[in-house]
Amino acid sequence: MAGDRDTEFASAERSDEQALYDQITLLESVEWVRPLYDAVNDLVVILNAQRQIVFFNQSFARFLGDRDASDLLGLRPGEALRCARAACPEAHGCGTTRFCSACGAVQAILASQHGRPDRRECRILLQDGSALDLLVKATPLSLNGETYVVCALTDISPEQRPRPLALRSVEFLQDLLDGYRHYEAVSTGALRLDPAVQDVPFEGDGQGLRRVLGAVLQSALEACPFGGVVTVGCEPDGQSVLFRVHNPGVMPHDAQQQIFQRSFPTQGPGRGLGTYSMKLLIERDLGGQIDFTTSKDHGTTFTLRCPLKA
């Protein structure tokens, strides 16, 4: 059985067979669970403390129509959906790779396990090379003294994506940082809001911006020398809001030359989302720009410039 030493993000531990059977039996025995969740159009799964599926509704079963329904129980969501990351050789299941740090689904589930509902967007790269865009709503559920997570997954087509929201930069960054404080990489370096941060009102795709900034932040934490400090800040810049993520480490010269190229391997800064994909998302979908500076004297700073109005 994979243990926590085998993970690069969320826990790799799984329930033993008897505990899993008992949880599945319990969920099916609660008289309101099946009628309630079968009545909704969302794809609904209920997860145990190890993020394994112990219940799924008819919509989820129909969505995965070529699968034997009984085979889904005990899997994690990314495994059931055939996420390519969950199946990569170094993985110990959904949520355990370095790529999973940028996954909205895993982030929402972890937040819900800490007792608060969460709602995030997620793009899953499938094993057949296609992608699945989901809106993930995770809610804690207590039954018989145990806490489960109800995940409602909505397939998001481009025309269904949320409209730009009115946001404030400090609140946005504080929420982002709060979501990363319990991650393993934080133990090797401090994570702080820049004291000079400025509160800038702007409009934008909060989920898309969270994905890009989250990927940069995770990479900064991993690249931060022991005892160093990662700082995140922002300021107005004409008709844009400028976000900065700084760590005191220096990027290798070879990486500097290739970082935003399509062929650049998914290692180093931005690897959770992929640096080419990160640049594409910020420029094409968010109408912004991304750049970086790095030096021995000043460390590495990624800057993301987004328009004040989407």
Side-chain angles (χ1 to χ4, degrees), residues 3 14 74 88 92 105 123 156 164 172 174 183 196 229 246-248 251 259-260 280 292:
R14 296 181 187 259
C88 64
H92 288 281
R123 165 162 285 194
I156 307 175
F172 179 85
Q174 191 62 65
Y183 295 158
V229 176
H246 174 267
N247 84 82
M251 191 184 302
I259 190 165
F260 290 126
L280 189 66
F292 72 95

Side-chain angles (χ1 to χ4, degrees), residues 231-249:
T231 58
V232 182
C234 64
E235 62 190 57
D237 184 33
Q239 296 303 306
S240 302
V241 54
L242 190 66
F243 294 94
R244 303 181 189 274
V245 179
H246 174 267
N247 84 82

Side-chain angles (χ1 to χ4, degrees), residues 113-133:
Q113 286 184 330
H114 284 78
R116 63 182 190 273
D118 204 351
R119 173 188 174 109
R120 307 205 183 194
E121 185 179 336
C122 171
R123 165 162 285 194
I124 296 178
L125 302 177
L126 303 179
Q127 294 174 31
D128 63 5
S130 62
L132 178 63
D133 287 332

